[in-house]
Amino acid sequence: MKDTKLPRKRRRLSSTYHTKRPRLDFYSNELMQGPPNHTAEDFEQPRLRKCPFRLDAIKWESATKLGDGYDGCAWKVTFKDQGTFVLKVFWDLQPPQTRNGYFAPRRECQNAAILQMIEAALEEGPVPLPFGRPKTQAQAIANMLAFSVPRDNMQQFLAAGGPQVILSQCPPIRRCYGWIDFDGDLIKRMPYRVKPQPRKYDKPPRSMSPGNTYHAIVYEYISEDDNDPELIKALLRFFYFIGFSFTCSPRIENWKGGKLIDGSDVVYPGGVGWDVRYYGSSQVAAALLGSDSNLEE
């Protein structure tokens, strides 16, 4: 009688699996101290460094809940004597199963890591870009990689008459202080007025509960200053030159004091959701500035 092997059953993930996060490719366990490395490999796999602050140093009695949205909940907090910051905690524990699915923690961590590397490169000196009017994703990526080291081709660019654009400084950008784990058990000890409340009408519904560890990022706190259109336009142009696209629904409410405060509104050129339709788009500029603006000028 011929031996037959039964097909191996796929192991089902237990319901508790989602409380234990796998190793993620957009985190680094290196503490955020000093400027980041910015080699080509770092740009190809951006990883946000870890926040040096301790979650148990937050004074929740004096915290202010700034609001919540589809991605997560944000608080104005104080880490003991470190000052005032924004803690943004994301609802989702795991990336979606689909390859190109949107996962807010990944997008914001990668965007912040890329921007920090670009800032570090500009602090070292001006950066020539290979494309002064980039149109495609490949050209956007090439411009981004111009900030990587070593930059042995800089002299070649200059000797050949120079690129069309040389960036020498970074416009004001909201500072990121790194990622941090948010222990859901803290919710039990938080004052009721600042507890994260379920968003029952979202699809799927959003909530946070004890027993889970959530992704979180610490940002600079931006006061409720009026937006300066010139500052917004300067940042839009900067995003265009370094290869960032916007998403389909840019909102002026996500800007304060001329700075973008929602890190998921943009996508770095190698990120999931980068869209050429919203790259250097005059429609995006019009939505934010109220008039048609050419970012290439």
Side-chain angles (χ1 to χ4, degrees):
M1 182 176 178
K2 186 176 179 181
D3 291 337
T4 59
K5 293 184 178 180
L6 294 175
R8 183 178 298 176
K9 292 183 177 181
R10 289 186 176 180
R11 187 180 63 173
R12 276 190 176 181
L13 298 178
S14 68
S15 59
T16 59
Y17 176 82
H18 294 284
T19 67
K20 300 177 182 179
R21 297 190 321 205
R23 184 180 178 86
L24 298 169
D25 60 1
F26 50 86
Y27 278 175
S28 167
N29 285 320
E30 177 187 354
L31 288 179
M32 188 172 289
Q33 296 174 342
N37 296 326
H38 49 100
T39 66
E41 290 75 16
D42 295 317
F43 276 94
E44 290 166 3
Q45 185 58 71
R47 297 174 187 270
L48 185 64
R49 293 175 294 166
K50 189 173 183 178
C51 180
F53 306 153
R54 291 175 57 88
L55 195 67
D56 58 10
I58 293 178
K59 301 175 181 178
W60 287 106
E61 294 74 16
S62 60
T64 301
K65 187 178 178 183
L66 298 175
D68 56 44
Y70 185 79
D71 292 337
C73 189
W75 292 267
K76 177 183 177 183
V77 299
T78 300
F79 289 88
K80 285 190 176 177
D81 299 327
Q82 297 293 334
T84 302
F85 303 88
V86 170
L87 174 70
K88 182 173 183 178
V89 182
F90 299 91
W91 305 112
D92 291 336
L93 297 170
Q94 296 262 39
Q97 297 297 319
T98 55
R99 180 179 178 183
N100 293 320
Y102 172 64
F103 188 49
R106 173 173 54 203
R107 176 176 293 177
E108 295 205 23
C109 284
Q110 290 180 331
N111 284 343
I114 291 290
L115 289 172
Q116 288 180 350
M117 288 190 282
I118 289 175
E119 286 182 290
L122 288 171
E123 288 175 0
E124 296 170 0
V127 176
L129 303 181
F131 296 97
R133 293 189 175 185
K135 299 291 187 183
T136 66
Q137 187 172 21
Q139 292 173 347
I141 290 174
N143 271 10
M144 178 189 70
L145 291 178
F147 296 90
S148 63
V149 292
R151 296 207 297 272
D152 297 332
N153 57 355
M154 178 179 288
Q155 294 303 322
Q156 297 177 10
F157 277 127
L158 298 177
Q164 293 173 307
V165 173
I166 297 179
L167 292 186
S168 58
Q169 61 182 0
C170 180
I173 291 178
R174 187 190 197 189
R175 187 173 179 184
C176 174
Y177 293 88
W179 67 269
I180 193 170
D181 282 332
F182 181 83
D183 184 353
D185 288 341
L186 281 174
I187 298 173
K188 302 180 202 176
R189 304 193 294 272
M190 295 169 68
Y192 180 78
R193 62 182 175 78
V194 296
K195 285 181 183 288
Q197 300 300 323
R199 291 173 58 92
K200 300 178 181 179
Y201 300 104
D202 283 351
K203 295 182 179 180
R206 308 293 198 188
S207 65
M208 295 180 196
S209 59
N212 292 330
T213 300
Y214 294 90
H215 306 278
I217 298 182
V218 179
Y219 285 110
E220 170 191 7
Y221 173 71
I222 306 294
S223 60
E224 297 286 343
D225 294 335
D226 293 336
N227 283 309
D228 183 338
E230 290 303 314
L231 289 178
I232 293 178
K233 186 172 182 179
L235 191 49
L236 291 178
R237 282 172 52 82
F238 183 74
F239 282 140
Y240 168 64
F241 286 130
I242 66 176
F244 279 53
S245 82
F246 272 79
T247 58
C248 62
S249 55
R251 300 171 64 239
I252 193 60
E253 291 81 5
N254 291 338
W255 293 72
K256 290 183 181 179
K259 295 181 180 180
L260 177 64
I261 62 169
D262 190 335
S264 63
D265 266 11
V266 290
V267 188
Y268 88 101
V272 173
W274 190 96
D275 195 324
V276 70
R277 293 175 297 175
Y278 310 114
Y279 177 49
S281 169
S282 59
Q283 285 75 22
V284 169
L288 296 174
L289 298 172
S291 60
D292 195 19
S293 298
N294 185 358
L295 301 182
E296 299 178 6
E297 294 178 350

